[in-house]
Amino acid sequence: MCGIAGEYRFDPESPVEPALAGRMASILRHRGPDGRGRHLGPRGSSLLVSTRLAIVDLDHGAQPMSNEDGSIWVVFNGELYGFAEIARDLERRGHRLRTACDTEVIVHLYEEHGEDFVDRLRGEFAIALLDQRRDRLLLVRDRFGIKPLYYLELADGVLFASEIKALFCHPRARPRLNETTLYHLLHGLMLPGETYFEGVRQLEP
């Protein structure tokens, strides 16, 4: 179990607050006590945060992790099944992997297949991938929704995190009860993607 979080600004000239990384990491520390990391994108308009529980490649699996030229970055919570076989195939295709960690295959699969990289993943995962060349962020969750990932859209960007409370580290994110969700819960109904906080949604599988 690891923790991932971050922010992406829709305006590439609008910088995120770097101190947000420390606040998010502190909130998610219990998910990843073995290390923490952050990556600020070009012009500071995007932020990736990770707290790591080290299981695979203990010495070289620090996150966020990038491809060879640092144009694609990823933070990842979960486990990819059969990733060693994927890594060997990527190396045959000319990719240079620096670790024995399942996280690294994600960036190279994206280089090779674009958004279709998700079709080649088996496992339980929540992923945030930043493509700096195209200035876009991809959020991905496994097919069964085993690993959590929440997001909150602001007027000028989006926040995401493994746990809702990390979203409220942002100075403009205010926890407000989602009365519609509460109403449906009291009537025995669950709304896909909805949470008990207004504006906060869970990324669907």
Side-chain angles (χ1 to χ4, degrees):
M1 179 176 72
C2 298
I4 66 173
E7 181 179 8
Y8 177 83
R9 292 288 181 92
F10 299 143
D11 179 359
E13 301 301 326
S14 175
V16 304
E17 181 186 348
L20 179 65
R23 295 197 297 267
M24 286 181 149
S26 293
I27 290 291
L28 298 174
R29 182 180 180 183
H30 63 283
R31 299 185 65 91
D34 298 324
R36 62 168 66 182
R38 74 171 193 177
H39 171 70
L40 274 171
R43 299 178 298 279
S45 61
S46 53
L47 172 68
L48 299 179
V49 177
S50 170
T51 60
R52 183 182 182 224
L53 177 64
I55 297 175
V56 179
D57 198 352
L58 305 186
D59 296 328
H60 306 102
Q63 298 184 39
M65 192 174 288
S66 74
N67 61 343
E68 297 96 330
D69 65 8
S71 62
I72 299 168
W73 288 81
V74 69
V75 286
F76 164 66
N77 170 33
E79 179 183 3
L80 298 183
Y81 307 152
F83 76 90
E85 181 180 344
I86 296 174
R88 286 192 293 270
D89 180 66
L90 287 166
E91 288 175 330
R92 285 193 293 268
R93 293 172 181 268
H95 296 271
R96 291 181 287 110
L97 278 70
R98 296 164 291 184
T99 74
C101 187
D102 51 355
T103 305
E104 189 176 9
V105 304
I106 297 170
V107 292
H108 297 291
L109 278 175
Y110 176 78
E111 285 183 303
E112 193 72 28
H113 303 288
E115 292 182 13
D116 292 338
F117 83 98
V118 297
D119 297 330
R120 291 161 172 81
L121 300 180
R122 292 185 300 112
E124 47 191 87
F125 49 83
I127 298 168
L129 184 145
L130 178 65
D131 183 341
Q132 296 180 169
R133 296 174 298 190
R134 298 181 181 178
D135 190 23
R136 67 176 178 177
L137 174 75
L138 299 178
L139 300 178
V140 181
R141 194 165 170 232
D142 64 77
R143 294 164 182 81
F144 295 98
I146 298 172
K147 296 300 181 184
L149 189 57
Y150 300 91
Y151 66 95
L152 171 62
E153 290 190 57
L154 302 174
D156 57 355
V158 62
L159 303 170
F160 64 91
S162 297
E163 297 184 10
I164 293 174
K165 57 189 174 183
L167 301 175
F168 296 129
C169 293
H170 195 283
R172 290 189 286 112
R174 295 287 183 267
R176 291 186 293 269
L177 178 66
N178 186 332
E179 295 181 359
T180 300
T181 301
L182 179 61
Y183 172 84
H184 284 93
L185 173 69
L186 295 174
H187 288 79
L189 298 174
M190 293 296 291
L191 300 178
E194 293 292 335
T195 72
Y196 297 115
F197 295 93
E198 189 176 302
V200 177
R201 293 184 58 82
Q202 183 166 207
L203 189 70
E204 294 191 39

